[in-house]
């Protein structure tokens, strides 16, 4: 799917000029006159990045950024503003903005920022998909296998797991083998890495919502 550059700015002339510029570079563009309009259409938005004005009627740029971090955290934000404000820039970057540019920015500077944002989106998307795959693997464990997995990642030995669960050590070995096979790992370190990646370490099995 081709990424989309979402321009959110109340200045119609700026939206139009920027959309034409980006389209000339072969990018797909969608434009919105307010943060509210953008968020209203968010569920139908195609992924990519957002060029976001700082000050707008209704929701401000930082308010839109905050909502976006909750509703679509994979989409990077590049702020474009005609009001150079160092504090606002620092706050935006701390909140996760990819870039903070002043208007007018040259085509080269803008395209470099967009390239960085799209690369960031691809990294986030790939990581999100990887974590979803890991959650699916862990969710495929039976209730007993999940219990064994939960104890394995805490470093418990087979005899300790057997005592805790009230089963034989032989049965623990069978479950342990099944867990490792389903997760596609060959070592304890790999199993622990999966658990850490999806924030299971320190939590008790079973894990609802995986």
């Amino acid at each position: 799917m081709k990424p989309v550059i979402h321009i959110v700015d109340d200045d119609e002339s700026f939206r139009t000029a920027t959309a034409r510029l980006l389209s000339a570079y072969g990018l797909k563009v969608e434009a919105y006159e307010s943060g509210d309009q953008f968020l209203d259409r968010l569920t139908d938005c195609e992924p990519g990045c957002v060029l976001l004005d700082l000050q707008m009627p209704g929701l401000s740029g930082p308010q839109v950024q905050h909502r976006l971090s909750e509703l679509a955290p994979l989409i990077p934000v590049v702020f474009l503003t005609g009001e150079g404000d160092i504090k606002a820039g620092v706050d935006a970057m701390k909140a996760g903005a990819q870039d903070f540019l002043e208007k007018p920015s040259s085509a080269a500077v803008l395209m470099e920022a967009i390239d960085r944002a799209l690369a960031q989106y691809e990294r986030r998307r790939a990581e999100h998909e990887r974590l979803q795959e890991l959650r699916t693997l862990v969710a495929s464990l039976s209730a007993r296998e999940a219990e064994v997995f939960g104890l394995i990642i805490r470093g418990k030995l087979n005899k300790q797991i057997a005592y805790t669960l009230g089963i034989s050590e032989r049965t623990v070995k069978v479950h342990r083998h099944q867990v490792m096979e389903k997760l596609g790992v060959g070592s304890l370190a790999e199993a622990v890495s999966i658990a850490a990646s999806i924030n299971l370490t320190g939590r008790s099995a079973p894990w609802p919502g995986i």
Side-chain angles (χ1 to χ4, degrees), residues 8 10 12 26 30 45 57 68 73 89 113 119 127 134 138 141 175 199 201:
V8 185
D10 64 312
E12 184 177 1
E30 295 288 346
C45 285
L68 194 62
E127 177 65 8
L134 294 180
V138 172
L141 301 178
H175 286 311
N199 299 318
T201 51

Side-chain angles (χ1 to χ4, degrees), residues 6-9 32-40 42 50-73 75-77 79 95:
H6 301 279
I7 303 171
V8 185
D9 198 298
Y32 314 83
E33 63 183 14
S34 69
D36 302 88
Q37 185 185 64
F38 170 59
L39 292 174
D40 285 344
L42 187 59
V50 180
L51 300 184
L52 184 59
D53 192 15
L54 184 67
Q55 297 294 340
M56 297 177 288
L59 292 176
S60 68
Q63 288 174 321
V64 174
Q65 180 190 22
H66 177 71
R67 292 287 303 282
L68 194 62
S69 70
E70 297 174 337
L71 301 172
I75 301 180
V77 171
F79 273 103

Side-chain angles (χ1 to χ4, degrees), residues 9-135:
D9 198 298
D10 64 312
D11 185 334
E12 184 177 1
S13 61
F14 175 80
R15 289 197 312 272
T16 301
T18 304
R20 286 175 179 168
L21 172 66
L22 300 184
S23 295
Y25 277 91
L27 295 171
K28 189 174 180 180
V29 180
E30 295 288 346
Y32 314 83
E33 63 183 14
S34 69
D36 302 88
Q37 185 185 64
F38 170 59
L39 292 174
D40 285 344
R41 298 181 187 175
L42 187 59
T43 54
D44 299 321
C45 285
E46 296 179 54
C49 71
V50 180
L51 300 184
L52 184 59
D53 192 15
L54 184 67
Q55 297 294 340
M56 297 177 288
L59 292 176
S60 68
Q63 288 174 321
V64 174
Q65 180 190 22
H66 177 71
R67 292 287 303 282
L68 194 62
S69 70
E70 297 174 337
L71 301 172
L74 301 186
I75 301 180
V77 171
V78 174
F79 273 103
L80 278 168
T81 178
E83 303 174 11
D85 184 326
I86 294 176
K87 182 180 184 303
V90 171
D91 290 344
M93 299 300 284
K94 284 182 177 179
Q98 181 68 27
D99 264 304
F100 193 92
L101 306 179
E102 288 189 39
K103 299 176 185 175
S105 290
S106 68
V109 169
L110 181 58
M111 289 304 301
E112 286 176 3
I114 289 174
D115 285 343
R116 287 193 295 270
L118 293 180
Q120 174 75 329
Y121 168 73
E122 286 302 322
R123 287 192 293 270
R124 289 177 179 177
R125 182 190 59 78
E127 177 65 8
H128 176 74
E129 290 181 355
R130 185 183 76 87
L131 294 180
Q132 287 297 98
E133 290 172 358
L134 294 180
R135 291 188 181 99

Side-chain angles (χ1 to χ4, degrees), residues 121-198:
Y121 168 73
E122 286 302 322
R123 287 192 293 270
R124 289 177 179 177
R125 182 190 59 78
E127 177 65 8
H128 176 74
E129 290 181 355
R130 185 183 76 87
L131 294 180
Q132 287 297 98
E133 290 172 358
L134 294 180
R135 291 188 181 99
T136 298
L137 288 176
V138 172
S140 73
L141 301 178
S142 69
R144 178 63 84 188
E145 289 165 353
E147 289 178 323
V148 171
F149 180 49
L151 294 169
I152 288 174
I153 62 177
R154 288 167 178 76
K156 300 297 184 182
L157 302 175
N158 287 346
K159 62 181 179 181
Q160 294 172 313
I161 296 173
Y163 177 79
T164 299
L165 300 180
I167 57 179
S168 70
E169 192 170 341
R170 179 184 179 86
T171 301
V172 171
K173 290 179 180 178
V174 171
H175 286 311
R176 187 177 189 128
H177 174 75
Q178 292 171 330
V179 168
M180 304 295 266
E181 192 171 66
K182 284 186 177 181
L183 298 184
V185 298
S187 69
L188 173 61
E190 290 176 291
V192 171
S193 177
I194 286 177
S197 294
I198 56 178

